[in-house]
Amino acid sequence: MIFLTPFTLLGLLTLPLVWWLLKATPPTPRRQSFPPIQILRRLRPREADVARSPLWLLLVRLAAVTLLVLGLAHPVLPGEHVPTSGHGPLLLVLDDDMLSASGWSQRIATAQGFVDDAAHANRPVLLLLTAATVDSLGAQDTPHARPATIVQQQLNSLRPAPWGTDRAALAHMLETHPPGDVGNVVYLANGVASTGDAAFSKALKALGPVQEVRFPDAPPLALAPASARNGPVIARILALPDASAPRSFTVRVHTQDGGTLAVVPVTLPAGASSADVPVELPNTVRNRIDQIALAGQASAAATVLFDEGDRLRPVGLMTSGAADTPLIGPLFYLRRALAPTADLHEGNDAALLTQPLSVIIAPDGTLADPATRQKVTDWVKNGGTLVRFAGPALAGEHHEAGQPAPAGEGEDDTAPQQPSAQTSTDPTTDLLPVALLDGSRQLGGTMTWGAPQKLAPFDAASPFHGLDIPADVTISQQVLASPVADLAAHSWARLTDGTPLVTHAALGKGEIVLFHISSTADWSNLPLSGLFVAMLQRLTDHANGVSIPADDSLLAPVMTLDGEGVLAPPPPSARGLKANAFADTAVSQAHPPGLYGPRAARRALNAGTHLVNLVPAQPVGTVTTPAGRRPDTPLGRYCLLAAALLLLLDAVMVLLMRAGVSFGKRNPTRSSTLSLALLLAIGVPINARAAEADSPTLPPPQPATASLASPQQGTPSVPGAALETRLAYVLTGHEDVDTVSRQGLQGLSDYTNARTSAKLGHPDGVRPGQDDLSYYPLLYWPITLDARTTPAQTAALTTFMAHGGILLIDTQGQDVSSQNNGDTSGSFAGDAPGTRSALRRVTSDLPIPPLATITDHHLLAHTFYMLHDFPGRYAGQPIWVAREGQAENDDVSPVIIGSADWAHAWAVDENGNTPYAVIPDGADQRQLAYRFGVNAVIYALTGNYKADQVHVPMLLQRLGE
């Protein structure tokens, strides 16, 4: 075993430190006797913390750390040597395609080694090439072995082919013309999958044992043209995926004479099979690109040739100064049609004529000024090409004596039109290729009998020849050319009725082209089609002396690439290729990669055009390296996986140990019994709570002595209120009142749990004097007409208040009969007759401190929410608390007395609804009632915490807000 990064093994020096950290234990805790926690002795522990980690767990953790360090050191198991077997002829199969050119000398040297071994053993050799064409394979009726010396000479003269493999043809040849007895098969592969691999593998295995040699030091690479022409990305690097590490490449951009325009570094991420090659160059420099290639890769697959279609022609768009409105502006469709294939410049005549432009496009209305027309005329005479578009402005210019036409006269097209007085003069003086008739011709619409016209096929002399015309392109309005004898010679495109659509005329060294429609979608839907894009591109190519055909014209090869990426004259086997077949033709012996056609119509056929991704091929036989060894086996991933599994095992064991499962040297039967008993003890309350949570009904009133502890009989029970915080209410003996109290406190508990960090359980109904009240922070006591207390109840309530409990007394309405003069004006409280005397009766023996009505400055008004009102079911009722300085327990009032009927406002039924209305403000008032309840709960739990002076600045700030 070897390590690719041996310095990482220094991490093993940390194992003693890990051992010491895992063995370290905290100091023994000091024992202190504290009587109040004796109740905890009755609880059964659910988790057990061990004093120190067991030895087996320490070993598991050390093994995980060791495997982690070893995995990061990248251990590799060297492959063993594979001996060459067989005594008959040696079948040597060689991938000699364009993807094998990388490391070609190493491939030939490896093949020579196998041939030398065969020569020493007096074995003949049969050499087969996978990139050979079907014709060359079929030239031999039956392939036969040759002496090793002849095969050595053949290997010395071999060069990689500039096209791909054809393994399916070779497999067919081996099946139809089997070579006879073969000792063994050696296949020198490029490692890239192709069509026919299954049949090829089957054919080789049928001949004998197969040894497949791959070359990891020379991986196959390819350079494919970008899918979008003239974009920022000019090519894509293709490679077999390698998850080990990112790979860096260099792409060189060359001119035809071999000069370097740019050197672009490209990084292929780990595991990726392709990467874009972006090039940022000025358009003038970019137009000089003739070839891009991968540095250090002498291969036709790693070379991309550029043709005339890859140039960005400078085109000017003349503006009229007005804003170009999207979808209806005169430049909107022109800009989108030309942007992918041209170097666009926009501006007025003064800005465009100073730039080196070959084409200027003038939408309707941009040449209305005579001075502008004169400047553009001089520019055209010097060799420029002007492309004009018609429109309402051009249709209204040509009339008798140059006067505007009367309203509506230029709109009708059905009446015959006569040439104007200007038609007798040379139309090029007005920058028009032909003379025009007055107005425009309407085709189709509600006011005409005609129908929109379609385009006729383009003539052979037209630069648009060969373009496909969509059937849905129609013309609904056009300007008509004056009928003259040579009108056909000036027409490049016509409608099906023979009227010109695009006309042209020479002017000096330049040319004028007129589209008899507008550049918007008002007169036709041509600007919405792909034909519009192709026509404009043809015009820009025509203006630059380029005429790239798109029909079935045969383009002969001019310069082709050999297998090592060198551009040279074409071989004798190269044949011409139709202009419209470049996109669908893959490189082959008949059509090698290179440049086709004359300079003005040159097209490039690249080897990587049809390559999408390089996919690893499935092994045909025993895979070895060129040295005859099996590939090295990386062990790092397995070490890291084992470390992860050990860490996962450690986590599971720790969780089980925390759950009480013992893995020590104890009696297995006893350990299992204890574990089962512990799980049952834990499962009983969990299942009880799960069933309770699933039940839609509220829990019934429970006595305070209800136990959630041990199910064993005779064991002292632990009250449920000792295990979780609960609110309580006094049972009155009236089922309706007790139900509302339970529903109210349940609703308040749910609201508190949802909005605070307090976690309250379900409320308990208690009987003072019988149930222990010390577990409850807050006791809700609804006063009924027959409420009375016994001395035992009074003593229990007194103890409850003395030890910090808060008694919330609610008369649930006002005793109207006991009010002075029966005045109830301004009050929203319900009638609770007799409750005033009942309140005096039950509190007569309680240690009630001097009381005062609560204000928004009281601590109860800002323990959690900032409140100014404290309503319940009824609003506007006074609340009485201990006067400031008159209460014990840090001045926390032990009693809160009111008549707002809070339980009805808090109540939530089994369906989650609030069944009782609140008066008079509805939902807003209920929200304030809940907030008062939360404040009361927090007040009971925290006491005078909020009264601390440290909170005064924050409270003042919130009051100010």
Side-chain angles (χ1 to χ4, degrees):
M1 181 187 298
I2 61 175
F3 296 92
L4 300 182
T5 55
F7 291 103
T8 311
L9 296 177
L10 296 176
L12 296 176
L13 299 178
T14 62
L15 290 180
L17 177 62
V18 174
W19 175 273
W20 179 79
L21 290 176
L22 295 178
K23 290 289 291 183
T25 56
T28 304
R30 185 180 61 180
R31 295 183 177 273
Q32 179 68 41
S33 177
F34 188 58
I37 66 172
Q38 292 299 318
I39 189 175
L40 300 180
R41 293 183 178 275
R42 303 176 182 177
L43 301 180
R44 185 178 296 274
R46 298 188 180 185
E47 296 182 1
D49 295 331
V50 297
R52 61 177 57 86
S53 299
L55 179 60
W56 63 266
L57 186 58
L58 291 176
L59 296 178
V60 168
R61 293 174 177 176
L62 289 177
V65 174
T66 303
L67 290 173
L68 180 62
V69 173
L70 292 178
L72 296 177
H74 297 91
V76 173
L77 185 64
E80 61 182 4
H81 180 76
V82 178
T84 302
S85 61
H87 301 283
L90 171 65
L91 176 58
L92 182 61
V93 183
L94 175 64
D95 280 342
D96 61 331
D97 63 323
M98 59 184 179
L99 296 177
S100 302
S102 175
W104 179 253
S105 58
Q106 184 184 9
R107 296 175 186 271
I108 295 299
T110 303
Q112 292 282 19
F114 284 104
V115 175
D116 290 341
D117 293 341
H120 294 158
N122 294 323
R123 299 174 58 191
V125 179
L126 173 59
L127 177 63
L128 295 179
L129 306 176
T130 60
T133 62
V134 177
D135 296 337
S136 62
L137 290 174
Q140 302 177 0
D141 293 337
T142 300
H144 58 276
R146 298 182 180 182
T149 55
I150 298 178
V151 175
Q152 287 177 342
Q153 297 175 2
Q154 185 180 357
L155 287 174
N156 290 332
S157 61
L158 276 182
R159 293 293 181 271
W163 51 81
T165 61
D166 193 354
R167 298 177 183 137
L170 181 58
H172 179 71
M173 188 271 293
L174 291 175
E175 292 176 357
T176 56
H177 303 286
D181 294 335
V182 174
N184 64 304
V185 180
V186 176
Y187 173 39
L188 277 63
N190 59 17
V192 179
S194 65
T195 57
D197 281 356
F200 176 72
S201 176
K202 180 180 179 182
L204 291 186
K205 292 179 179 179
L207 297 175
V210 181
Q211 176 183 350
E212 181 176 350
V213 181
R214 294 193 178 183
F215 301 84
D217 296 335
L221 297 172
L223 201 60
S227 56
R229 295 177 57 187
N230 302 320
V233 176
I234 63 174
R236 292 185 305 118
I237 294 179
L238 304 180
L240 292 177
D242 185 1
S244 60
R247 291 169 285 178
S248 298
F249 302 96
T250 301
V251 178
R252 294 186 178 274
V253 182
H254 300 287
T255 60
Q256 189 175 9
D257 57 2
T260 301
L261 295 178
V263 177
V264 183
V266 179
T267 299
L268 189 65
S273 60
S274 64
D276 293 335
V277 181
V279 174
E280 297 293 339
L281 292 174
N283 291 329
T284 55
V285 178
R286 183 187 177 117
N287 287 337
R288 297 175 56 198
I289 298 178
D290 286 291
Q291 177 180 319
I292 58 175
L294 273 174
Q297 300 291 325
S299 168
T303 304
V304 173
L305 300 176
F306 279 50
D307 56 20
E308 295 300 326
D310 296 308
R311 316 295 183 201
L312 288 174
R313 311 297 180 186
V315 176
L317 296 179
M318 187 173 292
T319 60
S320 59
D324 189 50
T325 306
L327 298 177
I328 61 175
L331 296 179
F332 180 81
Y333 296 103
L334 291 173
R335 187 182 298 113
R336 279 153 181 77
L338 292 169
T341 59
D343 180 17
L344 294 182
H345 302 265
E346 297 186 22
N348 55 19
D349 59 314
L352 295 179
L353 296 177
T354 58
Q355 301 183 36
L357 302 176
S358 57
V359 179
I360 291 181
I361 299 179
D364 184 44
T366 56
L367 295 177
D369 182 32
T372 300
R373 286 201 300 267
Q374 184 58 45
K375 294 179 182 178
V376 176
T377 299
D378 296 339
W379 176 80
V380 174
K381 289 181 178 180
N382 290 327
T385 298
L386 174 67
V387 180
R388 296 191 63 179
F389 281 85
L394 182 61
E397 288 182 0
H398 299 277
H399 301 284
E400 292 293 335
Q403 299 296 325
E409 220 173 276
E411 300 296 326
D412 191 17
D413 52 294
T414 57
Q417 302 184 32
Q418 300 298 326
S420 66
Q422 297 180 1
T423 59
S424 61
T425 62
D426 184 8
T428 58
T429 58
D430 291 330
L431 292 178
L432 293 173
V434 294
L436 300 179
L437 298 179
D438 294 342
S440 63
R441 177 193 183 197
Q442 185 78 27
L443 301 170
T446 57
M447 302 299 295
T448 62
W449 292 99
Q453 293 287 320
K454 297 183 178 182
L455 275 67
F458 300 114
D459 296 336
S462 171
F464 309 135
H465 178 65
L467 295 180
D468 294 329
I469 301 176
D472 57 348
V473 173
T474 57
I475 309 300
S476 58
Q477 192 171 352
Q478 67 174 146
V479 293
L480 288 175
S482 178
V484 293
D486 60 345
L487 181 59
H490 292 278
S491 299
W492 277 346
R494 299 183 181 88
L495 302 183
T496 53
D497 61 359
T499 55
L501 176 65
V502 180
T503 55
H504 72 100
L507 178 60
K509 298 180 181 179
E511 197 168 23
I512 302 173
V513 181
L514 173 66
F515 280 76
H516 290 240
I517 58 173
S518 65
S519 60
T520 64
D522 297 336
W523 287 19
S524 74
N525 62 357
L526 177 62
L528 304 177
S529 67
L531 178 62
F532 187 67
V533 178
M535 294 175 70
L536 292 178
Q537 184 176 349
R538 288 290 185 90
L539 287 178
T540 57
D541 291 339
H542 175 79
N544 289 271
V546 178
S547 179
I548 301 178
D551 54 9
D552 55 358
S553 302
L554 193 64
L555 301 181
V558 179
M559 302 287 287
T560 60
L561 292 172
D562 62 11
E564 297 177 345
V566 178
L567 200 62
S573 60
R575 300 291 182 266
L577 185 61
K578 292 183 179 180
N580 56 7
F582 274 77
D584 302 324
T585 302
V587 293
S588 61
Q589 185 176 13
H591 306 295
L595 299 175
Y596 290 72
R599 176 169 292 275
R602 186 149 296 174
R603 298 286 298 273
L605 181 65
N606 288 296
T609 301
H610 297 279
L611 294 178
V612 179
N613 280 312
L614 301 184
V615 180
Q618 295 295 326
V620 176
T622 302
V623 179
T624 67
T625 63
R629 294 182 175 274
R630 297 182 186 271
D632 296 341
T633 304
L635 302 178
R637 67 186 70 177
Y638 304 109
C639 293
L640 295 178
L641 178 60
L645 292 177
L646 287 179
L647 293 177
L648 179 61
L649 176 63
D650 173 79
V652 172
M653 292 300 180
V654 169
L655 292 177
L656 292 177
M657 292 172 63
R658 288 184 177 274
V661 179
S662 176
F663 297 96
K665 298 180 180 179
R666 297 181 180 178
N667 189 335
T669 305
R670 180 181 179 185
S671 299
S672 301
T673 304
L674 292 176
S675 300
L676 180 60
L678 180 60
L679 291 176
L680 290 176
I682 297 175
V684 170
I686 291 178
N687 293 333
R689 294 192 184 183
E692 176 185 316
D694 293 339
S695 176
T697 59
L698 292 172
Q702 298 184 9
T705 57
S707 174
L708 295 180
S710 173
Q712 300 177 3
Q713 294 183 357
T715 303
S717 61
V718 177
L723 302 178
E724 61 181 352
T725 305
R726 297 182 182 181
L727 304 180
Y729 58 94
V730 176
L731 294 173
T732 63
H734 298 271
E735 183 178 358
D736 55 341
V737 176
D738 295 342
T739 300
V740 171
S741 298
R742 175 170 51 84
Q743 292 178 339
L745 292 186
Q746 183 65 53
L748 177 60
S749 299
D750 294 340
Y751 190 91
T752 303
N753 292 338
R755 287 162 176 80
T756 71
S757 60
K759 298 302 178 184
L760 305 180
H762 62 77
D764 288 339
V766 296
R767 299 177 179 84
Q770 299 180 19
D771 299 324
D772 190 353
L773 305 181
S774 61
Y775 302 112
Y776 307 100
L778 181 68
L779 181 61
Y780 179 77
W781 190 2
I783 301 300
T784 57
L785 178 63
D786 57 349
R788 299 180 183 276
T789 58
T790 64
Q793 292 175 337
T794 302
L797 293 174
T798 301
T799 303
F800 172 75
M801 297 167 60
H803 287 83
I806 295 180
L807 190 61
L808 178 58
I809 302 176
D810 187 359
T811 62
Q812 299 186 336
Q814 289 185 352
D815 186 358
V816 179
S817 61
S818 63
Q819 297 289 336
N820 294 333
N821 300 326
D823 185 12
T824 60
S825 61
S827 174
F828 294 98
D831 187 13
T835 55
R836 187 178 183 89
S837 59
L839 176 62
R840 289 178 177 177
R841 184 169 58 249
V842 298
T843 59
S844 60
D845 295 330
L846 292 177
I848 302 297
L851 302 178
T853 56
I854 190 174
T855 65
D856 56 3
H857 295 289
H858 192 270
L859 183 60
L860 189 57
H862 50 73
T863 52
F864 193 82
Y865 290 105
M866 303 291 293
L867 299 178
H868 301 282
D869 298 310
F870 314 94
R873 187 180 188 186
Y874 310 115
Q877 304 305 310
I879 300 176
W880 301 86
V881 294
R883 188 181 304 167
E884 185 176 358
Q886 299 294 326
E888 299 179 356
N889 295 329
D890 296 329
D891 205 24
V892 175
S893 178
V895 63
I896 303 172
I897 303 176
S899 57
D901 195 359
W902 290 289
H904 282 82
W906 297 335
V908 177
D909 62 13
E910 59 274 7
N911 296 321
N913 300 321
T914 52
Y916 305 106
V918 292
I919 304 172
D921 294 332
D924 293 339
Q925 181 175 328
R926 190 187 306 276
Q927 191 74 2
L928 289 177
Y930 275 124
R931 293 185 176 185
F932 167 73
V934 171
N935 278 16
V937 171
I938 301 301
Y939 183 63
L941 293 174
T942 62
N944 66 346
Y945 165 72
K946 283 288 186 176
D948 197 337
Q949 291 297 317
V950 73
H951 300 287
V952 171
M954 181 189 68
L955 296 176
L956 293 177
Q957 179 182 0
R958 293 185 61 185
L959 287 172
E961 294 175 353

